[in-house]
Amino acid sequence: MSEPVVNTVNVVLLGPPGAGKSTIAEAIAEHYNLITISTGQRLRAEVEARSMVGRAVKDRLDRGELVPDSLMDRLLRSGFESFDPDRGFLLDGYPRTMRQAIGLFAMLADYGRHLDAVLALDVDDEEVVRRLSGRRICEGPLIDEPFPIHIDDLASMLRCRERGGRAVQREDDRADVVRQRLLVYHEQTQPLLAYYRAEALLVSVSALGRPAEVARRAENVLQTAIQARI
Ligand code: AMP
């Protein structure tokens, strides 16, 4: 991957479930040396740890419903508190409601930061259902970082088996829950696209194709958008 050209950018990543946000987030964060806050991952870690927060949110996650804004705001603030001020951030999975988006502007002002760009990943519902119904997480005692694989991608299934892992389906990747997550996305999160477009922050890319291709596309549009703002 090429050297970052612009440093310390603050980016929000938007897209429906199954758009590949976490995979693209990883590539972009590496490219710009950003700290990533993935709210979904954080919440799943809380559930795994059976913490108080985890116990409070588990049912909502399992049903594909959103966690209340007040709890999300606290989670995000605690992330910002521990930030290295010299590094930019990438938010993966936040904001997801209009209230969160408005709250984010206020929160960023409190920490002396601003958004440079909002990157939206485009993918239609049919492709989301295909991806998520076949998605599995490869995990096992020898695997430090569980990683996503797909039942149609034999190479990824083999990679998992070679590392002694097993393919586990996320509770919220079941077909009925995927439909619910899509509904929530269209009702609550999609309106943020128009909001950020009006703020002249939105850039979008197609999320179709191999993750490396999508990541390259995303880096290119981000670079152009960020340079236009300098
Ligand atoms: P994700 O891994 O981003 O698809 O998130 C998994 C689940 O975590 C979502 O279906 C929600 O239940 C919850 N979640 C993650 N981010 C948020 C957020 N910003 N607001 C409310 N709920 C969230």
Side-chain angles (χ1 to χ4, degrees):
M1 203 161 281
S2 51
E3 282 298 302
V5 180
V6 180
N7 250 328
T8 324
V9 295
N10 301 311
V11 178
V12 159
L13 190 56
L14 280 182
K21 289 193 296 295
S22 298
T23 314
I24 301 308
E26 216 174 286
I28 293 172
E30 189 188 317
H31 186 69
Y32 287 103
N33 185 28
L34 305 180
I35 300 169
T36 306
I37 298 188
S38 163
T39 47
Q41 267 169 31
R42 285 197 179 201
L43 290 168
R44 280 190 294 279
E46 297 283 349
V47 171
E48 191 81 3
R50 294 195 170 84
S51 68
M52 231 160 74
V53 170
R55 289 199 304 267
V57 301
K58 182 177 185 316
D59 285 351
R60 284 178 189 267
L61 259 71
D62 287 351
R63 289 197 298 259
E65 293 167 8
L66 292 185
V67 166
D69 289 334
S70 53
L71 197 153
M72 293 311 302
D73 288 359
R74 283 207 301 280
L75 190 94
L76 203 72
R77 271 191 190 274
S78 75
F80 279 128
E81 295 287 339
S82 56
F83 261 13
D84 173 351
D86 294 333
R87 286 176 71 190
F89 64 75
L90 177 76
L91 297 182
D92 160 20
Y94 190 99
R96 254 173 154 105
T97 65
M98 207 55 175
R99 206 195 139 270
Q100 290 179 9
I102 292 165
L104 178 62
F105 274 125
M107 208 183 301
L108 291 177
D110 289 349
Y111 293 96
R113 295 197 178 236
H114 63 272
L115 277 186
D116 292 291
V118 174
L119 174 69
L121 297 179
D122 275 345
V123 57
D124 63 29
D125 288 5
E126 208 182 309
E127 176 65 7
V128 164
V129 172
R130 189 197 73 77
R131 287 184 184 185
L132 292 188
S133 57
R135 177 165 78 174
R136 300 289 181 273
I137 305 298
C138 179
E139 59 178 46
L142 302 176
I143 297 174
D144 291 338
E145 285 270 339
F147 54 94
I149 55 182
H150 197 281
I151 55 173
D152 293 342
D153 177 4
L154 200 62
S156 74
M157 297 293 282
L158 283 174
R159 203 162 51 242
C160 181
R161 190 176 300 172
E162 275 161 13
R163 295 176 57 181
R166 54 198 179 94
V168 179
Q169 186 170 38
R170 251 170 69 170
E171 194 67 30
D172 61 352
D173 281 348
R174 291 192 341 249
D176 54 328
V177 186
V178 169
R179 276 194 296 279
Q180 169 65 19
R181 288 164 71 199
L182 270 169
L183 198 78
V184 168
Y185 173 76
H186 290 305
E187 280 182 10
Q188 309 225 38
T189 311
Q190 207 168 4
L192 302 189
L193 299 179
Y195 173 70
Y196 284 126
R197 190 174 295 118
E199 296 286 336
L201 285 168
L202 190 78
V203 288
S204 37
V205 287
S206 161
L208 296 181
R210 295 182 161 278
E213 279 165 31
V214 182
R216 184 98 16 93
R217 245 179 259 150
E219 284 161 14
N220 287 341
V221 298
L222 264 183
Q223 194 69 47
T224 310
I226 290 160
Q227 266 162 349
R229 289 175 69 82
I230 296 173

